[in-house]
Amino acid sequence: MNDRSNFIAYTVFKKYWNRLFSIICLTVGVLLSSSCEKEIDIELKGADQRYVIEGVITDQEGGCKVLISKTKDFNDDNSRVTVTGAQVFISEGAETHELQETEAGTYTAPTLRGLEGHTYNLRVQIGTEIFTSSSTMPALVKMDSLYIVDDLIFGDNYKLPTIDFQDPTNVVNSYRFLLYVNGVKKKQIFVINDELSNGRANSIRLYADVGEDEDNPENRRIRSGDLVRVEMLGIDKGVYKYFFSLDNSATGENQSATPSNPVSNIQGNALGYFSAHNIQSKEISVP
């Protein structure tokens, strides 16, 4: 087993162990609290609202989009608070493109496509507040193949999408993978860099979580007959840091008692990210 395989196996074990440990702690907490008669009311203080900016420009037409919203208090519902009327620009060199608001909180430039090696700058103005970011589109690393591997984890069999590709030598690369099952995007975050596999052949397994609700298409294991599509994104270092920290915070792996905000590459006290990336995809029917 190579260093990358060891790293992935360790990462998967750590995630499953953290979840098991969380369940044990929650169960113990419930048992302890049920033995106490005194009720304790906890008042959760509201947090200041912040803007959330999620921007991408890809190497394909129609791939340029910026979503702008606001954060909500803990007790609010999960609906998205869109931000309308913003001025959004993406520039590269002397060229500047203004994005149009095509629906509430969504700004697009349908004909704008990025080129590898070029750095793109995002500028968002909301009222008197200005937010900026930049991202460089990496060179394309070809996704060679997509196939399904059966893997036994804690006694259960999982059908895991697996991607093969050759990482370039002496170049720093980072990758993000998006997983769709029967057209439904999985919410899990899959990001890696080549710190342990620079210049090597990679076989990356996407360990899709399995939930108890088998009727929820976002939360059930992959089965025979499913249609699986994987998108492979070449991302820069700043975008990798954002999604890596977002994943660690979401799974409680940041050694902190409370969740923390991911490392954003946007300046101006906004949350979110701006990514200039290439994208390719493959699709397979699960045997």
Side-chain angles (χ1 to χ4, degrees):
M1 185 177 291
N2 58 29
D3 292 339
R4 167 55 63 182
S5 298
N6 285 329
F7 172 75
I8 294 172
Y10 167 73
T11 302
V12 173
F13 172 79
K14 186 172 66 168
K15 284 190 176 183
Y16 278 94
W17 170 249
N18 282 339
R19 287 171 186 157
L20 179 60
F21 181 74
S22 298
I23 293 171
I24 294 172
C25 291
L26 179 60
T27 303
V28 172
V30 171
L31 291 174
L32 289 175
S33 62
S34 64
S35 65
C36 301
E37 295 182 358
K38 183 177 180 180
E39 294 184 0
I40 300 176
D41 292 328
I42 299 176
E43 181 180 354
L44 296 175
K45 295 182 179 179
D48 292 336
Q49 279 194 322
R50 294 174 65 180
Y51 291 110
V52 180
I53 300 172
E54 301 167 278
V56 299
I57 177 172
T58 76
D59 59 344
Q60 301 177 5
E61 277 196 6
C64 180
K65 180 183 295 187
V66 176
L67 306 178
I68 306 178
S69 59
K70 279 185 177 182
T71 58
K72 304 182 72 173
D73 282 339
F74 181 83
N75 290 323
D76 290 341
D77 59 37
N78 291 326
S79 60
R80 183 167 172 261
V81 181
T82 57
V83 175
T84 61
Q87 293 179 289
V88 181
F89 303 90
I90 290 180
S91 62
E92 190 273 321
E95 292 189 10
T96 299
H97 303 265
E98 182 173 6
L99 279 64
Q100 303 301 313
E101 188 171 10
T102 51
E103 58 182 273
T106 301
Y107 303 79
T108 64
T111 61
L112 181 59
R113 59 188 299 179
L115 299 173
E116 67 178 49
H118 289 230
T119 297
Y120 295 88
N121 302 294
L122 172 69
R123 184 178 186 273
V124 175
Q125 182 165 353
I126 306 171
T128 59
E129 296 187 76
I130 295 176
F131 308 93
T132 60
S133 183
S134 65
S135 180
T136 301
M137 184 175 295
L140 182 72
V141 176
K142 182 183 177 183
M143 178 167 56
D144 293 322
S145 60
L146 167 66
Y147 53 97
I148 303 297
V149 170
D150 287 288
D151 199 352
L152 196 65
I153 304 174
F154 297 124
D156 285 334
N157 184 68
Y158 289 74
K159 293 185 177 295
L160 304 178
T162 305
I163 303 98
D164 284 354
F165 64 93
Q166 175 66 48
D167 184 80
T169 305
N170 298 325
V171 179
V172 177
N173 291 101
S174 300
Y175 309 95
R176 181 184 176 205
F177 302 94
L178 304 179
L179 174 60
Y180 298 82
V181 180
N182 300 324
V184 178
K185 181 182 176 182
K186 292 288 187 179
K187 292 183 178 180
Q188 282 173 266
I189 297 171
F190 305 101
V191 289
I192 64 168
N193 61 19
D194 61 0
E195 183 178 356
L196 299 177
S197 60
N198 188 273
R200 297 184 183 181
N202 284 261
S203 292
I204 306 300
R205 296 184 185 181
L206 304 185
Y207 286 84
D209 281 350
V210 176
E212 296 299 326
D213 183 7
E214 286 288 309
D215 293 328
N216 183 350
E218 293 181 351
N219 201 29
R220 70 163 180 85
R221 74 177 66 198
I222 297 173
R223 298 189 289 234
S224 295
D226 285 343
L227 186 64
V228 167
R229 185 173 91 253
V230 173
E231 295 181 354
M232 177 175 169
L233 282 56
I235 58 178
D236 67 11
K237 184 177 180 180
V239 178
Y240 169 79
K241 284 184 176 180
Y242 172 82
F243 282 102
F244 181 80
S245 61
L246 178 62
D247 187 34
N248 284 348
S249 177
T251 56
E253 296 173 16
N254 59 357
Q255 307 303 317
S256 173
T258 57
S260 58
N261 291 325
V263 181
S264 175
N265 65 349
I266 296 177
Q267 289 74 49
N269 198 36
L271 302 175
Y273 69 97
F274 173 56
S275 175
H277 58 255
N278 54 61
I279 183 170
Q280 55 193 308
S281 69
K282 288 186 179 295
E283 195 171 69
I284 188 173
S285 179
V286 179

